[in-house]
Amino acid sequence: MEEVSMKEFLEKVKGGGVQRVDFYGVNGERCMATMVGGKEIRVGEGFPTEDSRGYSSPLWVSRVLGNYGVPFKFHYLDNVKYATINSPKPE
């Protein structure tokens, strides 16, 4: 699978060449993009990592995608079954 830098990825987004983006991992630290035409690429060098004490975050990337109308999805809890906690119901 081809890997592109964050700079190249943003150029493709701005040029209308990105069809959709999928974020994987607890903090969205892995970014896979589907290009117009169906080719998949991974965003590598320069992709922001989550930093709770700073401004670095994959959420920034999702904001850019939203500004350009590119659909995206975070796959954090895909395929996780819902569970209930057996605690007493409030009366």
Side-chain angles (χ1 to χ4, degrees), residues 6 9 21-32 42-44 47-51 56-62 65 72-77:
M6 185 65 184
F9 172 69
V21 175
D22 296 283
F23 296 94
Y24 297 93
V26 175
N27 294 314
E29 62 269 8
R30 192 168 55 122
C31 178
M32 310 297 284
R42 180 177 179 168
V43 183
F47 186 75
T49 57
E50 186 63 41
D51 179 5
S56 178
S57 175
L59 291 175
W60 175 83
V61 178
S62 68
L65 296 172
F72 61 89
K73 181 177 180 182
F74 282 85
H75 296 269
Y76 172 55
L77 294 175

Side-chain angles (χ1 to χ4, degrees), residues 1-71:
M1 178 174 295
E2 181 184 351
E3 184 171 303
V4 300
S5 70
M6 185 65 184
K7 182 180 177 182
E8 291 172 293
F9 172 69
L10 291 176
E11 289 170 1
K12 292 177 187 297
V13 168
K14 292 174 185 176
V18 179
Q19 184 176 346
R20 75 168 191 271
V21 175
D22 296 283
F23 296 94
Y24 297 93
V26 175
N27 294 314
E29 62 269 8
R30 192 168 55 122
C31 178
M32 310 297 284
T34 302
M35 308 305 292
V36 172
K39 181 179 178 183
E40 290 188 349
I41 62 170
R42 180 177 179 168
V43 183
E45 179 186 352
F47 186 75
T49 57
E50 186 63 41
D51 179 5
S52 62
R53 296 177 185 229
Y55 294 103
S56 178
S57 175
L59 291 175
W60 175 83
V61 178
S62 68
R63 181 175 180 191
V64 171
L65 296 172
N67 289 343
Y68 285 93
V70 178

Side-chain angles (χ1 to χ4, degrees), residues 69-88:
V70 178
F72 61 89
K73 181 177 180 182
F74 282 85
H75 296 269
Y76 172 55
L77 294 175
D78 280 1
N79 301 320
V80 174
K81 295 181 181 178
Y82 287 94
T84 59
I85 298 175
N86 294 327
S87 57

